[in-house]
Amino acid sequence: MPQNHRTVGTDSIAAAAARLREAAATGTPAAPVRDLIGRDDVTAAYAVQQLLTADRIRAGATVVGRKIGLTSEAVQRQLGVDQPDFGVLFDDMAHADGATVPADAVLQPRVEAEIAFVLGADLAEGPLDDAQVRAAIDHAVAAIEICGSRVADWDISFGDTVADNASAGGYVLGTRRVPLAGFDPVAAEMTLAVDGETVSTGSGAACLGDPVNAVVWLARQARDLGEPLRAGQVVLSGALGPMRPVAPGATVHATVTGLGTVSLTFSA
């Protein structure tokens, strides 16, 4: 994991977690937390995320995977950052393909389309290299991620988004499951439409050069933090193009070549 750029005390980490916790509980976005933990202190930001993850688990949520963010240059430019991040997926974030998602389920929702991988084996031991990760992937599916921010106006630095669970909100997986032997993630082309209008396009090559590279990166980061990836978990590997805001009542449809389609509608 990258080195700290400063030292952040536990009181500041706790205060940042409290600010984001209140935003989630009240449905009112909060001020950024970078005044408390800095813009780019990786260790402090993940410490905040871990406090909030522990809250969710104590409240009964189950971890079902991870999301990788900031993998495409386009999204990095949008948010002014230069490295990936990751967040935790909980069971209540999952929505069925074609489902209607409550408009207030996610604060300040934005959507992006990507490739999701479902693991068939743990990624806890060994070199966690490309060959091991590929062997551990059971199948790939098309996915829409619903990103959300507890930070007002999406005014986020790297530290803010990491602390805020990498701006995770929800996700939808397609129903067509394809093993890697029958699918080339790099060559995949993505089209994302909102209410029938194409709003984002991209390719697998935009995700760290290969979406599997993103899973390799994540597997190592997760193990370093003591919570390695496990069989059965979902990994959202990162956007293949820019994320876009959505309004209540919007219908979102994504196509990923080789994986088919996935869609959702937000309630009015």
Side-chain angles (χ1 to χ4, degrees):
M1 202 162 273
Q3 296 297 309
N4 274 345
H5 296 276
R6 67 195 73 181
T7 301
V8 176
T10 56
D11 287 350
S12 294
I13 289 169
R19 186 180 297 175
L20 294 171
R21 188 182 296 119
E22 181 176 4
T26 63
T28 301
V33 296
R34 54 185 175 267
D35 62 314
L36 296 167
I37 63 169
R39 297 183 61 89
D40 53 10
D41 187 316
V42 177
T43 301
Y46 279 109
V48 176
Q49 183 187 121
Q50 286 177 309
L51 286 178
L52 297 173
T53 295
D55 285 350
R56 294 295 318 279
I57 292 171
R58 278 194 298 271
T62 300
V63 175
V64 297
R66 305 290 205 292
K67 65 148 287 183
I68 309 170
L70 313 181
T71 53
S72 79
E73 289 185 6
V75 175
Q76 289 181 2
R77 285 195 301 270
Q78 276 189 309
L79 299 184
V81 299
D82 61 0
Q83 57 183 312
D85 69 351
F86 72 86
V88 178
L89 299 178
F90 298 100
D91 53 342
D92 60 359
M93 290 182 175
H95 302 276
D97 189 10
T100 297
V101 177
D104 61 355
V106 177
L107 278 178
Q108 305 181 106
R110 297 181 176 184
V111 292
E112 57 189 28
E114 53 199 90
I115 297 167
F117 298 104
V118 178
L119 300 179
D122 291 352
L123 286 170
E125 307 292 340
L128 302 183
D129 56 11
D130 181 82
Q132 182 181 357
V133 168
R134 287 179 182 275
I137 291 171
D138 184 76
H139 61 268
V141 294
I144 295 171
E145 181 180 355
I146 308 167
C147 302
S149 184
R150 273 58 63 174
V151 176
D153 301 319
W154 278 87
D155 178 16
I156 56 176
S157 67
F158 182 80
D160 294 305
T161 185
V162 169
D164 188 25
N165 199 25
S167 304
Y171 67 96
V172 180
L173 301 183
T175 57
R176 183 179 178 190
R177 302 177 175 185
V178 182
L180 284 185
F183 172 67
D184 178 7
V186 176
E189 298 289 335
M190 177 277 294
T191 302
L192 178 69
V194 176
D195 292 332
E197 178 183 355
T198 297
V199 296
S200 182
T201 60
S203 72
C207 181
L208 294 185
D210 181 341
V212 176
N213 291 340
V215 185
V216 171
W217 174 87
L218 172 65
R220 294 171 177 174
Q221 301 299 308
R223 183 173 67 179
D224 287 349
L225 280 177
E227 294 292 342
L229 300 177
R230 298 297 184 185
Q233 289 188 335
V234 176
V235 176
L236 301 180
S237 63
L240 304 185
M243 64 180 177
R244 298 302 185 195
V246 284
T251 294
V252 183
H253 186 275
T255 301
V256 179
T257 55
L259 297 179
T261 64
V262 58
S263 67
L264 65 95
T265 298
F266 288 93
S267 64

